[in-house]
Amino acid sequence: MSEAPVLFTRSGPIGQITLNRPAQGNAIDMVMASELAAIALQCDADESIRCVVVSGLGRLFCAGGDLGVFKDAGPQISGLLSELAGTLHTALTRLARMQKPLLTLINGPAAGAGLSLAILGDVVLAGRSAHFTCAYTSIGLAPDGGMTWMLPRLVGLRKAQEMLLMNRRIDAGEAAQIGLITRVVGDETLAEEGAKIASTLALSATRALGATRSLLLQSFDSSFETQLEREARAIAAAGKDRESVEGIAAFVSKRPPDFK
């Protein structure tokens, strides 16, 4: 097993990011955050990558920040947390805004920043053994990783308040019910189901998916009229793209489109 804290592999147009500190529950330290940021930048810039998948190795998806490192920082912990959060946020921003879909496969518990990374996916599949905990306030910290932005949008303010302030653990079944994740699958079929979805996304109209991701991110801060204007500009731009030409031609010809 590689000692790199984050693994990156390619399977054709699919980029696979794997958190690789299983003995530490894939807890995030500076080295892992830096590796994740570098890989996220690569995935964003490489147009041959049409879908990105994030998963964890071992029993946990990600336990959040590495508390051992936090403890060892002593009086310098504030500076460490600022640098760590800033580096992690670079990775999350790139993954959120890249013009291609993101699939997250939650193989086990996700807490703290690991929860933020887990729910960042456009499609989030969780194994039945997965569960989700915010965890921050239980150790005297405020949230990071965009959690206070994503949670209210996914599950509503009241449920977000309960999760953040009460630190109530949410199991995979409830997570699907409240909209925190897309759906639950068996632990033993998570990789297989993820591969099917990744393949479908990679064969889709990636530029159109990217434009859709951008519109969804902008929608909560826009008036209805502003969003209508953004949609009008986006669909007009998409109409000039080769994906649209192929998609329309394939539909008229009653054949499957070849967006690659």
Side-chain angles (χ1 to χ4, degrees), residues 66-77:
D66 190 327
L67 299 188
V69 173
F70 293 1
K71 183 177 184 298
D72 291 342
Q76 284 72 49
I77 187 171

Side-chain angles (χ1 to χ4, degrees), residues 100-143:
K100 59 203 72 177
L102 175 66
L103 167 65
T104 52
L105 304 180
I106 316 307
N107 56 293
L115 171 54
S116 295
L117 178 58
I119 61 178
L120 188 65
D122 301 298
V123 179
V124 183
L125 289 190
R128 296 195 184 281
S129 64
H131 55 74
F132 305 87
T133 313
C134 292
Y136 290 97
T137 58
S138 64
I139 55 172
L141 293 176

Side-chain angles (χ1 to χ4, degrees), residues 2-203:
S2 170
E3 294 182 358
V6 184
L7 306 178
F8 181 68
T9 57
R10 288 282 301 270
S11 177
I14 300 169
Q16 173 71 53
I17 300 172
T18 307
L19 307 181
N20 184 38
R21 299 186 74 208
Q24 294 80 27
N26 294 322
I28 303 169
D29 61 3
M30 272 304 306
V31 178
M32 174 180 270
S34 297
E35 289 280 335
L36 187 60
I39 292 170
L41 289 167
Q42 177 184 346
C43 290
D44 183 19
D46 189 341
E47 292 188 0
S48 70
I49 297 174
R50 298 174 58 84
C51 176
V52 178
V53 181
V54 177
S55 63
L57 190 66
R59 190 179 65 84
L60 277 69
F61 173 74
C62 179
D66 190 327
L67 299 188
V69 173
F70 293 1
K71 183 177 184 298
D72 291 342
Q76 284 72 49
I77 187 171
S78 180
L80 169 67
L81 290 172
S82 178
E83 183 181 8
L84 181 61
T87 305
L88 177 63
H89 290 177
T90 296
L92 296 177
T93 299
R94 291 290 177 160
L95 292 174
R97 296 197 179 278
M98 62 184 180
Q99 294 297 292
K100 59 203 72 177
L102 175 66
L103 167 65
T104 52
L105 304 180
I106 316 307
N107 56 293
L115 171 54
S116 295
L117 178 58
I119 61 178
L120 188 65
D122 301 298
V123 179
V124 183
L125 289 190
R128 296 195 184 281
S129 64
H131 55 74
F132 305 87
T133 313
C134 292
Y136 290 97
T137 58
S138 64
I139 55 172
L141 293 176
D144 67 349
M147 188 176 295
T148 58
W149 192 92
M150 289 187 286
L151 272 183
R153 286 162 171 76
L154 291 171
V155 303
L157 177 60
R158 190 63 70 210
K159 182 59 70 173
Q161 288 170 321
E162 180 188 29
M163 290 181 65
L164 283 162
L165 303 180
M166 301 296 293
N167 285 306
R168 189 170 73 82
R169 177 184 292 184
I170 305 295
D171 65 29
E174 182 179 359
Q177 291 176 357
I178 65 176
L180 187 65
I181 65 173
T182 306
R183 61 186 173 94
V184 184
V185 299
D187 290 338
E188 69 284 355
T189 62
L190 179 62
E192 180 183 355
E193 290 294 323
K196 291 177 182 177
I197 292 176
S199 179
T200 298
L201 291 172
L203 292 172

